[in-house]
Amino acid sequence: MSTLPRLKSAAPRVALLTFSFALLATPGASQQAGGPIARYSMDAGTMSGMAAMAGGGGGMGGAMSMMMGGGNQPIHELVLRLGSTQAPSGAPAADHYMPAGARLGTSVPLVTPKVTPSEQQAIPGEKPKGRLLIYWGCGATAGPNQPVVIDFAKVANGQFPPGLYMTNAAIPQEWQVRFSNSKTYGEWPNGQTRKTVAGNASLIGDHRIAGNYAPEIKFALAQDFMPPITGRAVPQAGGATQLSWNAVPNATGYYAWVFAAKQGGDMVWWASSASQAFGGPVWDWLSPAAVQKLIGQKIVMPPSQTSCTVPSQVVQSGGEMLMGSLYAYGPEANFAYPPRPADPKIAWKPEWIARVRYRSNTMWMLNGPDMGSMTGQGGDDSADAAGDAPPPKKKKCKGGLGGMLAGAAGVGC
């Protein structure tokens, strides 16, 4: 008997499918003997477009407002994770003390999640329906052997399309801080605080992490949040769509994807990768070393590339409303105490290690306002080179992803 929750619409099915691919594609992490007592990761992002509305708590209504022409300024996100091999002295407690420019107060709490049994509804006899059509590569038309079709009913029976390549094999193994590989763990954001990071916040300055289950961690940052991505999505003759964006300073590479859910159960997924490679790691923060390897394998676009064409077959298969996303991966800063000795022959066992990663991303509706207008900003010269998109026509609310969003938000078309 299945224990999966009941899937009543395309939205939970999308979430389930995305989560399944992320699990398949993300490398596992395990606690290594002889490693540091504490590991700390700080992921800093800049979000614009619909990504800013989702990250800022705008919800469906805010996203639909932006689709209808409303503006929004970019915001920032922080994901903080502390893992330790030590047990706490009492109830676990830890805080990240920020520089004043972060505008988050003196500190933010790193809360240890409570483990609770999951509540899932059995669905006896129900079989998943629908298909996922997968495309890849920049170009006016899709390449050979596309799309790869994943039939959900067949996947439920253990039948996967042959040769579908997931990106986990291409990602260099990197340490991760997780609840599952730490004796004691704390994170932010969490249910204890609902703070958001302002668009004018700054990370530059001294940072300190202190708690009752890990040694004190101190480092200073000279790298601030990355600038936002702005750009255009312009229809082309023949049905393709030209994506173009500004060159983001300090970007190490770019990755784009487009997704659509249609009435009847079919979904469409396209990625800018030149090879048939899909999976969760490219949606995460990636180190410059990982990005460089993925550029060599033509999975990630190089930092010199500022445009990509979505094939006409993707636009035709996806229907009127396709949701797009674009990532700019950024630099990385690493800290440790004591520092790594210059002589490799000298044994090194740090008390703690810390890593700070950066990225910038945006989300938009492919047939809606361009990425620049959705953030309240204009595109730069590289975006304007593709030409101005015609003003979006007002259309009646229909089915699919767009209709689902409008109905959920209570916004008329």
Side-chain angles (χ1 to χ4, degrees):
M1 179 179 294
S2 173
T3 58
L4 292 175
R6 180 175 295 275
L7 306 181
K8 296 183 178 180
S9 68
R13 207 164 57 243
V14 170
L16 175 62
L17 182 68
T18 302
F19 178 67
S20 301
F21 276 128
L23 288 179
L24 288 171
T26 304
S30 60
Q31 192 169 338
Q32 298 180 355
I37 297 171
R39 299 161 299 139
Y40 193 67
S41 67
M42 178 176 178
D43 294 328
T46 301
M47 301 185 294
S48 58
M50 292 180 67
M53 287 307 304
M60 290 281 192
M64 288 304 301
S65 174
M66 293 173 63
M67 288 171 58
M68 302 305 166
N72 185 59
Q73 294 298 320
I75 66 170
H76 297 308
E77 62 174 332
L78 281 175
V79 180
L80 311 175
R81 298 185 180 97
L82 173 63
S84 175
T85 61
Q86 295 180 337
S89 55
D95 287 87
H96 184 138
Y97 294 86
M98 300 276 183
R103 302 177 181 271
L104 287 170
T106 304
S107 68
V108 296
L110 305 173
V111 176
T112 300
K114 294 181 179 180
V115 180
T116 57
S118 60
E119 297 182 2
Q120 296 177 328
Q121 180 181 359
I123 46 174
E126 182 172 336
K127 295 182 179 180
K129 299 178 182 179
R131 305 176 304 163
L132 175 64
L133 281 63
I134 295 181
Y135 298 86
W136 60 94
C138 300
T141 59
N145 303 317
Q146 297 190 43
V148 170
V149 179
I150 298 178
D151 188 304
F152 299 143
K154 292 182 179 179
V155 170
N157 293 328
Q159 302 176 39
F160 286 87
L164 183 60
Y165 174 48
M166 310 301 285
T167 57
N168 62 321
I171 303 288
Q173 181 69 34
E174 298 178 338
W175 60 271
Q176 301 284 339
V177 181
R178 302 185 188 279
F179 180 86
S180 60
N181 63 13
S182 306
K183 186 168 187 176
T184 312
Y185 171 85
E187 65 183 13
W188 190 87
N190 50 63
Q192 190 175 71
T193 59
R194 296 290 182 183
K195 294 180 180 179
T196 57
V197 188
N200 60 350
S202 173
L203 298 176
I204 294 177
D206 295 329
H207 294 254
R208 182 170 71 91
I209 297 90
N212 63 0
Y213 56 88
E216 186 179 59
I217 297 172
K218 290 183 178 181
F219 55 84
L221 289 179
Q223 168 72 45
D224 213 341
F225 288 103
M226 296 176 68
I229 300 174
T230 59
R232 306 269 187 190
V234 181
Q236 302 291 293
T241 296
Q242 174 83 5
L243 305 180
S244 59
W245 56 91
N246 58 306
V248 180
N250 296 321
T252 57
Y254 301 101
Y255 179 86
W257 58 262
V258 167
F259 190 88
K262 303 177 65 177
Q263 275 188 322
D266 277 0
M267 291 179 277
V268 177
W269 185 10
W270 167 87
S272 58
S273 171
S275 60
Q276 184 182 326
F278 294 85
V282 288
W283 302 335
D284 206 342
W285 280 263
L286 292 176
S287 69
V291 171
Q292 189 63 35
K293 182 173 182 179
L294 294 175
I295 290 174
Q297 296 175 336
K298 297 184 178 182
I299 294 173
V300 168
M301 295 176 284
S304 59
Q305 184 172 341
T306 56
S307 65
C308 176
T309 302
V310 182
S312 59
Q313 292 91 333
V314 176
V315 179
Q316 181 179 5
S317 299
E320 293 182 345
M321 303 296 285
L322 296 97
M323 179 174 289
S325 182
L326 175 65
Y327 290 94
Y329 307 110
E332 178 179 284
N334 289 279
F335 308 92
Y337 181 82
R340 183 189 294 272
D343 186 352
K345 296 180 181 179
I346 299 177
W348 179 55
K349 187 177 180 181
E351 291 184 12
W352 58 263
I353 58 175
R355 175 188 63 199
V356 184
R357 298 180 294 186
Y358 300 84
R359 78 177 183 193
S360 184
N361 79 288
T362 186
M363 294 183 69
W364 72 101
M365 299 306 293
L366 206 64
N367 292 334
D370 62 64
M371 293 173 261
S373 66
M374 291 180 72
T375 59
Q377 301 178 358
D380 67 355
D381 292 340
S382 64
D384 291 337
D388 293 328
K393 297 179 180 179
K394 291 187 177 181
K395 302 175 182 178
K396 296 181 179 180
C397 290
K398 297 183 179 181
L401 183 58
M404 183 177 67
L405 286 171
V411 178
C413 295

